[in-house]
Amino acid sequence: MKHYAIDFDQLKDLGKARVVVDQKPLLIVHLEDGIYAINDRCPHLGASLVKGTIEDHTVTCKSHKAKIDLKTGEIIDRAHIAFIKMPTKQAKTYACKVENGKVYVEV
Ligand code: FES
């Protein structure tokens, strides 16, 4: 079901934002080729991803550095402490579209 998430201009200014849609916390990111939405709870231990580092269509969680593909939710690099890698499930992503200056997410 389609839900309003944020005004496009606001997202463009911020680059990324945490929004709650249908009671789900989402990280929404504006990149040069589109808008991507991903569950804002890290699939490792649930840290918010909004403070993570965005780079090349990925977000890297601040807590234990899990690196997640923003388009697919695939884990590019598992959570780790020093050299010890920890199990990290795939993240859930959501389709986005812009209509009349507003960003909607399919949840
Ligand atoms: S909570 Fe995100 S990597 Fe551990």
Side-chain angles (χ1 to χ4, degrees), residues 47-70:
S48 173
L49 293 171
V50 75
K51 292 190 180 131
T53 306
I54 309 288
E55 182 184 47
D56 296 337
H57 294 93
T58 66
V59 58
T60 300
C61 179
K62 275 245 183 276
S63 294
H64 315 101
K65 310 293 182 212
K67 189 171 187 178
I68 305 159
D69 188 315
L70 287 165

Side-chain angles (χ1 to χ4, degrees), residues 41-47 61 63-64 66 79-80 86-89:
R41 288 176 54 82
C42 176
H44 176 229
L45 289 178
C61 179
S63 294
H64 315 101
H80 54 278
M86 295 175 273
T88 312
K89 291 183 206 147

